[in-house]
Amino acid sequence: MKTKTIFDVRTYECDSYGHVNNAVYLNYLEYARMDYLRQIGFKYESFVEAGFFIYVSHVDIFYKSSARFGDTLTIESEPIKFGAVSGTIRQTVMLGDGTICAQAEVTWASVSSKNGRPTKIPQEFVVDGLKP
């Protein structure tokens, strides 16, 4: 399942060159991943209450074009890999005209809040949208 998250670039996200700072894209991707989970029906709050977290373990990001203050961005998010403990989601950040600003593949893992170790995702939390 592919989802879309739409929002506007804010002034404080831009650097001295007038475009969105590269580090800010990581915040955008995080925001869109949480929105993705909401859209597919994954109950993250319940997941945390049950003693689990989702940690990002790796981000591969390619910057393609600049975004600037006032631009409306769309982030498309879709799973490309899913396993018992971890998965990978592909995310594409685009301007309103479809120009790609950044593309990323983000690997995440389910982690126990008790010991901080990777742990299998309980079956009751596995929803269709987590899988490619």
Side-chain angles (χ1 to χ4, degrees):
M1 176 177 182
K2 185 186 289 188
T3 64
K4 291 183 180 184
T5 301
I6 301 170
F7 58 94
D8 294 331
V9 173
R10 295 160 290 253
T11 56
Y12 58 85
E13 296 167 333
C14 298
D15 59 21
S16 60
Y17 300 118
H19 59 71
V20 173
N21 184 282
N22 286 2
V24 172
Y25 283 92
L26 297 175
N27 292 329
Y28 289 168
L29 297 174
E30 176 74 17
Y31 177 74
R33 280 192 310 280
M34 293 306 291
D35 189 47
Y36 173 81
L37 292 176
R38 181 190 60 76
Q39 288 186 50
I40 67 169
F42 184 87
K43 305 294 185 202
Y44 189 73
E45 295 82 6
S46 298
F47 191 68
V48 171
E49 288 172 7
F52 304 95
F53 299 133
I54 294 177
Y55 283 4
V56 170
S57 60
H58 183 85
V59 177
D60 223 356
I61 188 167
F62 296 93
Y63 300 99
K64 306 281 190 178
S65 184
S66 297
R68 300 183 179 282
F69 165 65
D71 285 343
T72 298
L73 299 178
T74 298
I75 300 181
E76 292 183 347
S77 303
E78 65 179 325
I80 58 172
K81 182 179 172 187
F82 180 77
V85 174
S86 65
T88 302
I89 187 168
R90 179 179 295 129
Q91 295 183 278
T92 304
V93 182
M94 295 175 288
L95 295 171
D97 66 1
T99 300
I100 296 174
C101 296
Q103 291 180 306
E105 289 188 6
V106 181
T107 302
W108 56 267
S110 171
V111 177
S112 168
S113 64
K114 295 176 181 73
N115 59 23
R117 294 181 185 244
T119 188
K120 186 176 180 180
I121 300 168
Q123 191 58 41
E124 67 263 27
F125 292 103
V126 176
V127 296
D128 285 339
L130 286 177
K131 303 172 188 176

